[in-house]
Amino acid sequence: NACGSCHNCIRVDSDNHPNVLVIKPAIEEGGSIKIEQIRQVLEENQKANFEPGPGVFLITQMHKATKSAANALLKAIEENHRDKVFIALAPSKMAILQTIASRLTHHVITPDPDNDICSEEYKQKIIRICRTPPQERFFIASEITCEKNALISEFDALLAACHA
């Protein structure tokens, strides 16, 4: 329930909050989360929080972590301090290393239907994907196209349209 306008919200939004570390795939290095990025998490996990409140590690696109990065993150999660919180975002629980998935609480997040960022068509596609059990999402993909590159393009368009 972030307000978006207070001091903390502004700092989180601009990647300047000292208690929040956001890890994103390295675009220039093949679009994956590298072990060097997770080593930064390991280092910060050992430090005291700069400000009162929990330290938060937000790993976006966790499914894009290399195997060595995922294994290093597992170590950080297992050696977690009480005042640290890990949030790993992925398209599904099955998209990440099973040992990591077993140590995290799983929450399904669906798009806000009142979000004006993307078109109604894209909203409906995303909502349908989110509400479909992971084992059945293959059928949705096959309805879109059976060509791998076209499917990737369609999902990239969904991502770009709704996550501006």
Side-chain angles (χ1 to χ4, degrees):
N1 295 329
C3 70
S5 59
C6 73
H7 181 62
N8 282 323
C9 285
I10 292 169
R11 293 188 304 162
V12 169
D13 194 39
S14 64
D15 291 332
N16 284 328
H17 196 292
N19 284 7
V20 178
L21 177 61
V22 179
I23 302 294
K24 299 176 184 175
I27 295 170
E28 66 280 349
E29 297 179 27
S32 60
I33 295 174
K34 306 291 185 186
I35 192 165
E36 295 80 19
Q37 295 171 284
I38 300 304
R39 285 188 182 129
Q40 183 182 5
V41 171
L42 291 169
E43 184 179 316
E44 294 297 320
N45 192 33
Q46 298 303 315
K47 296 179 183 177
N49 295 334
F50 189 76
E51 293 183 359
V56 178
F57 302 107
L58 173 62
I59 300 103
T60 68
Q61 301 183 48
M62 182 64 212
H63 58 290
K64 291 189 176 182
T66 63
K67 186 169 179 124
S68 57
N71 285 324
L73 182 64
L74 179 61
K75 178 179 167 112
I77 292 170
E78 288 175 341
E79 297 175 359
N80 189 25
H81 296 274
R82 276 193 219 174
D83 60 346
K84 306 291 183 176
V85 176
F86 288 84
I87 301 172
L89 304 176
S92 76
K93 186 177 179 179
M94 296 185 320
I96 62 174
L97 192 65
Q98 179 58 38
T99 50
I100 291 177
S102 69
R103 286 161 176 81
L104 299 173
T105 303
H106 180 233
H107 298 278
V108 176
I109 300 171
T110 57
D112 178 358
D114 297 326
N115 181 347
D116 291 333
I117 294 174
C118 65
S119 72
E120 188 61 33
E121 176 190 358
Y122 280 150
K123 280 186 210 176
Q124 292 308 314
K125 283 182 181 181
I126 290 173
I127 289 170
R128 182 169 175 231
I129 291 167
C130 291
R131 290 185 179 160
T132 300
Q135 64 272 21
E136 296 175 18
R137 290 181 185 158
F138 173 78
F139 298 111
I140 294 173
S142 65
E143 289 172 13
I144 296 170
T145 181
C146 291
E147 208 280 309
K148 179 182 175 182
N149 291 334
L151 185 62
I152 291 169
S153 295
E154 179 67 19
F155 287 141
D156 285 345
L158 282 169
L159 181 68
C162 297
H163 295 286

